[in-house]
Amino acid sequence: MKISIQGGRLIDPANGVDALNDIYIAAGRIVGIGQAPAGFVPNRVIDARGLAVLPGLVDLSARLREPGFEHRATLESELQAALAGGVTSLVLPPDTDPVLDEPGLVEMLKHRARQLNQSHVYPLGAMTVGLKGEVITEMAELTEAGCVAFSQADAPVTDTNVLLRAMQYARTFDYALWLRPEDPWLAREGVAASGAMASRLGLSGIPEQAETIALHTLFELQRATRARLHLCRISSAAGLELVRRARAEGLPVTCDVSAHHVHLTDVDIGYFDAHCRLTPPLRGQRDRDAIRAALADGTIDAICSDHTPVDEDYKLLPFGEAEPGATGLELLLSLALKWARDTDQPVSRAVARVTSEPARVLGSKVLASCGQLGVGSLADLCLVDLDAHWLVSEQNLVSQGKHTPFLGMELPGKVRTTIVAGHVAYETAA
C-alpha cells in the first residue's frame, strides 16, 4: 500500500521539524518527505490541509486488561481506543492475571496483539515472581519473549535486599527497571493525598514522604549498582526535586507523569468523586504546578495515560472503597495539548512528551521504530485537527472503560486518522 499525505503540518520533535510538508509511505515505511521518490504512484492520497501530522503517540502505561480482566476491557476494545487517540505504541504493565512473569504468557499476549494488527504492544515483565517482591524472575528469558523492561506495577517490594539484587541483575545485563516510588507502610490504607482536603473529607491520607522516602532508597541502591531506572508516575514537588538532584549527579534515571496529574489536584475530589480516585493520589496545587514546570524543563520525560479501565461495579462505590484508575488512552494527546496551551508552551514540546521522549525512554531497540517521522522510519503517525475540540462523554469514548475525571469537559485536538505500519487503522469524518 502506497499512501501520499498532502499539505499537512508535519510536527516531528525528534528531527526538529515543524513545517508544511508532504509525506510518502510505501511498504509500511516513510519513503519520502517533501518530495516523492522516483516512480512513486500512490494507491491513496490523503488531504491533510488544515491538519497536523504527528508521529504516532507512545504511551508508557496502558492496562489493556488482558489476560484475566476481560470483563473490564479486552485487547480489541482498548487497542481500538488507542487508535482513536492516535496512540500507536503502548507499554503494558505486568499486573495482569496471571502476572507476566513467565515467557509463555508474554509470547501469548504478543501473539494476540499481532493477530489484531493494530497498535504495537510492548509488555513489561514482572520484576519478581507473582509481583510478590520475594523471588526475582528470569529476566533474560522474559526479554527473549519480548519484554522491554521490568516492573512491579503498583506492587511493593518490602525486602530491600531483593530490590538490591534485582538492580544488580538488571545492571549486569543492561535491563531497565520501571518502578513507582512509594513506601508501602506510609501508603498503607491511604486513599487520598495527606493534607487539608483529605482531613476535611475524613479520608485516610498518603503523605508525600511515601514518595520521597522510596526515592531516597532507590537512588541509594542506584548509586551502588548504576542500574537504569525509570520512575513511574511521579506525583509530588518534593519527589521531582529529588529527581533533579539525581540527574545532576549523573544517575541513569528517567521519569514520567500521569496525564491526570498534569491538570488535577486533590480539590477536584470535590464531594467524594470516585472518578478522581487514582494511584498515586492527586496532590495539591503546588505539586501540580511543579509537575507542569518539570514537564517544561525536561525533568519529566514523558506524559502517559495511565489507562486503567474500571467497570461500574468497582467505581460507583464510596470513594474509599472505589477501585483506583481511569480511562485515558483517548485523552492523552488532548491533555498534553491542553498543558501546552495552559502554560504557553510550544505545541512541539507537548508532542515530544507523548512521542519522541517516551520512545527514548524505551531505549534504542524501540526508538528506531516509533516516535519519529524520518525517512526510513516505520510509518506510524496520526493526523490531528489541533483547532477542533471534542466533548469527553461515555458516548464519545471508544474504550470499554468510561470513567474519567474529565467527563463533560471539552478538550483540544481531535484525531482524524491513525496509520500504523503504513496501513490506515482508524479514520473519522471531519
Side-chain angles (χ1 to χ4, degrees):
M1 183 71 171
K2 295 181 178 180
I3 301 174
S4 172
I5 302 174
Q6 298 288 313
R9 176 188 173 187
L10 176 59
I11 303 177
D12 179 16
N15 294 300
V17 175
D18 185 349
L20 294 177
N21 248 327
D22 302 332
I23 296 181
Y24 303 91
I25 297 170
R29 296 195 171 271
I30 296 174
V31 295
I33 295 177
Q35 185 173 357
F40 184 90
V41 179
N43 303 101
R44 178 174 178 186
V45 176
I46 298 176
D47 183 357
R49 288 175 296 178
L51 302 178
V53 182
L54 314 179
L57 273 60
V58 181
D59 189 350
L60 294 184
S61 180
R63 290 174 170 87
L64 305 188
R65 294 308 200 184
E66 277 197 44
F69 302 100
E70 289 83 355
H71 60 287
R72 300 183 184 181
T74 63
L75 278 181
E76 289 92 335
S77 67
E78 303 319 289
L79 288 178
Q80 280 293 321
L83 295 174
V87 180
T88 58
S89 298
L90 306 95
V91 177
L92 312 186
D95 53 349
T96 50
D97 184 16
V99 168
L100 297 181
D101 59 3
E102 294 183 3
L105 297 171
V106 176
E107 290 167 353
M108 181 176 66
L109 180 61
K110 295 272 289 183
H111 177 69
R112 277 270 291 135
R114 280 194 300 268
Q115 281 186 317
L116 294 173
N117 195 30
Q118 296 179 341
S119 298
H120 310 291
V121 167
Y122 299 103
L124 294 175
M127 190 180 80
T128 61
V129 175
L131 296 176
K132 294 179 180 179
E134 298 170 354
V135 179
I136 299 170
T137 55
E138 295 290 346
M139 295 185 190
E141 293 181 5
L142 288 168
T143 300
E144 290 178 7
C147 291
V148 294
F150 298 91
S151 171
Q152 279 292 105
D154 292 328
V157 178
T158 55
D159 188 335
T160 313
N161 190 46
V162 172
L163 184 56
L164 173 61
R165 287 190 287 107
M167 293 174 74
Q168 289 171 334
Y169 187 103
R171 175 66 180 91
T172 300
F173 297 97
D174 196 30
Y175 301 144
L177 299 182
W178 291 33
L179 302 173
R180 189 171 73 81
E182 184 177 79
D183 181 277
W185 308 114
L186 288 174
R188 184 171 52 180
E189 298 180 0
V191 298
S194 296
M197 191 66 188
S199 297
R200 190 176 303 123
L201 296 175
L203 298 173
S204 54
I206 301 176
E208 70 175 17
Q209 287 79 12
E211 184 166 280
T212 57
I213 288 174
L215 284 170
H216 278 295
T217 300
L218 289 173
F219 292 147
E220 278 299 306
L221 296 179
Q222 193 179 27
R223 290 182 184 101
T225 62
R226 306 304 295 184
R228 286 191 293 127
L229 286 183
H230 176 68
L231 304 171
C232 307
R233 264 68 75 213
I234 296 291
S235 68
S236 70
L240 285 168
E241 184 55 35
L242 292 177
V243 173
R244 279 195 185 90
R245 294 179 195 172
R247 285 190 158 178
E249 185 183 330
L251 294 179
V253 60
T254 55
C255 70
D256 67 48
V257 66
S258 155
H260 305 101
H261 291 72
V262 177
H263 298 284
L264 305 175
T265 69
D266 56 357
V267 173
D268 291 296
I269 294 173
Y271 293 100
F272 305 98
D273 183 0
H275 288 111
C276 292
R277 176 79 201 278
L278 302 170
T279 300
L282 296 170
R283 298 198 176 275
Q285 183 174 333
R286 173 176 169 271
D287 300 291
R288 193 274 312 274
D289 291 348
I291 286 171
R292 290 183 164 195
L295 278 169
D297 68 24
T299 301
I300 296 175
D301 299 273
I303 305 173
C304 69
S305 72
D306 200 21
H307 179 72
T308 308
V310 179
D311 60 23
E312 298 273 320
D313 291 342
Y314 293 91
K315 203 63 174 177
L316 299 183
L317 291 170
F319 187 92
E321 301 172 25
E323 182 174 326
T327 190
L329 279 170
E330 296 157 81
L331 284 70
L332 178 58
L333 177 60
S334 292
L335 292 176
L337 293 173
K338 178 174 167 54
W339 162 72
R341 295 185 183 186
D342 289 351
T343 58
D344 294 322
Q345 298 293 322
V347 170
S348 60
R349 185 163 295 163
V351 173
R353 296 293 179 261
V354 292
T355 59
S356 56
E357 291 304 295
R360 182 178 57 80
V361 168
L362 279 170
S364 57
K365 292 181 181 178
V366 179
L367 182 61
S369 61
C370 67
Q372 61 172 320
L373 295 178
V375 173
S377 64
L378 200 63
D380 291 347
L381 50 91
C382 58
L383 278 61
V384 181
D385 187 342
L386 296 177
D387 296 321
H389 287 71
W390 64 286
L391 178 67
V392 182
S393 66
E394 292 187 9
Q395 295 74 25
N396 289 337
L397 290 172
V398 176
S399 170
Q400 197 167 317
K402 305 298 182 183
H403 297 286
T404 165
F406 298 97
L407 280 175
M409 290 186 63
E410 282 200 343
L411 296 178
K414 181 61 180 173
V415 175
R416 299 299 183 195
T417 303
T418 303
I419 296 174
V420 181
H423 77 274
V424 177
Y426 172 83
E427 283 186 284
T428 185

